[in-house]
Amino acid sequence: MGCFSSKHRRQFPGHEDPVSLASQTAFTVSEVEALFELFKSISSSVIDDGLISKEEFQLALFKNRKKENLFANRIFDLFDVKHKGVIDFGDFVRALNVFHPNAPHEDKVDFSFKLYDLDSTGFIERQEVKQMLIALLCESEMKLADETIEIILDKTFVDADVNQDGKIDKEEWQNFVSRNPSLMKIMTLPYLRDITTTFPSFVFNSEVDEIAT
Amino acid sequence: PVLMNAFELISTSQGLNLSSLFEK
């Protein structure tokens, strides 16, 4: 038995109820509360407004707010499901839920497809993959000749684009990742299993809030 | 890198490494 019964659970003013968020996700109520500690820390890093801006998201990822990054931008846009330009706590918990070790594999595959479908056409196109490869090269300061990039793209599309129409559809992607399971590694965050241990202060804050209210 | 498929390379981007969100 824990110290707190569900009716005494903390409410997050202006944010979705942790019990409701837990019911929609693989997280327990305590884990949602622990995620709130992480959310508070990220959402107050530039402006303490209870929302995560793109700048705050990049700061949390890179510890450097100046670092623009195509992939971080894309992840931010997928977290920001309501397209408000900011991530609220509900968005944050529901998006991280996909990365939970217990989340359905299909949800991970679906999220990864959206991630690489930069312009949301329902297909991963060759020019999108080339754009991502060039962004990666800029990020890592690795240099590859254009011919080498084209060889990598040729190889990838021969393997993934089964009907050879120059773009990868959802079914081709599902098939491709099932043959290349290592591509799904980025879709699971083992940290999420231990979130209450990483942010134990959620218990302390719960107690303080109960006394304060 | 020529031996790797494009997505294997892309998935090494730091921007896709969300574990850094949890590093205090």
Side-chain angles (χ1 to χ4, degrees):
Chain A
M1 287 293 287
C3 298
F4 310 110
S5 66
S6 60
K7 67 179 178 180
H8 293 303
R9 284 279 178 189
R10 183 167 53 142
Q11 298 295 308
F12 306 141
H15 295 293
E16 283 177 63
D17 171 34
V19 176
S20 161
L21 284 170
S23 73
Q24 299 167 43
T25 62
F27 298 114
T28 64
V29 177
S30 293
E31 286 169 340
V32 172
E33 289 185 329
L35 281 175
F36 192 63
E37 298 299 308
L38 172 62
F39 180 82
K40 272 193 305 186
S41 130
I42 299 173
S43 66
S44 61
S45 62
V46 178
I47 301 169
D48 191 1
D49 58 356
L51 297 164
I52 298 177
S53 65
K54 194 168 274 188
E55 188 182 8
E56 287 168 329
F57 191 71
Q58 297 202 359
L59 183 59
L61 275 181
F62 301 112
K63 319 300 171 205
N64 175 356
R65 73 173 71 169
K66 297 280 183 279
K67 190 153 182 174
E68 270 284 318
N69 181 286
L70 174 80
F71 305 103
N73 277 344
R74 187 69 190 133
I75 294 227
F76 181 91
D77 291 341
L78 292 176
F79 273 49
D80 175 20
V81 286
K82 299 188 274 292
H83 308 295
K84 295 182 298 181
V86 285
I87 300 168
D88 65 31
F89 183 55
D91 297 335
F92 186 70
V93 174
R94 278 184 288 268
L96 281 181
N97 182 48
V98 178
F99 293 84
H100 193 287
N102 297 344
H105 182 70
E106 310 82 72
D107 292 356
K108 294 176 187 287
V109 174
D110 192 47
F111 191 100
S112 65
F113 183 80
K114 288 183 192 155
L115 182 63
Y116 297 132
D117 176 15
L118 292 179
D119 55 8
S120 306
T121 54
F123 300 98
I124 303 172
E125 286 147 296
R126 185 178 170 114
Q127 56 84 16
E128 288 173 314
V129 185
K130 184 167 186 176
Q131 188 184 343
M132 290 186 271
L133 275 179
I134 291 169
L136 174 75
L137 294 175
C138 288
E139 180 191 311
S140 61
E141 295 176 0
M142 186 171 28
K143 289 187 172 44
L144 285 182
D146 195 57
E147 307 89 81
T148 310
I149 294 174
E150 292 297 333
I151 291 169
I152 294 169
L153 288 169
D154 285 344
K155 178 183 175 314
T156 304
F157 275 76
V158 162
D159 202 9
D161 177 20
V162 177
N163 66 7
Q164 293 296 295
D165 62 353
K167 55 196 182 184
I168 300 165
D169 62 32
K170 178 73 80 60
E171 197 181 329
E172 288 169 334
W173 180 250
Q174 288 163 339
N175 191 289
F176 185 62
V177 297
S178 72
R179 286 182 280 117
N180 297 274
S182 65
L183 295 180
M184 284 293 104
K185 265 173 72 180
I186 59 163
M187 291 305 307
T188 294
L189 293 168
Y191 287 85
L192 291 172
R193 224 191 265 288
D194 305 314
I195 194 78
T196 53
T197 317
T198 312
F199 297 95
S201 58
F202 83 91
V203 175
F204 175 72
N205 287 338
S206 276
E207 193 173 47
V208 167
D209 276 14
E210 275 185 58
I211 292 164
T213 50
Chain B
V2 183
L3 296 174
M4 297 173 84
N5 75 55
F7 296 102
E8 278 177 89
L9 282 170
I10 290 165
S11 65
T12 63
S13 165
Q14 203 194 337
L16 294 176
N17 180 13
L18 291 191
S19 57
S20 51
L21 288 178
F22 301 86
E23 289 160 11
K24 295 188 212 174

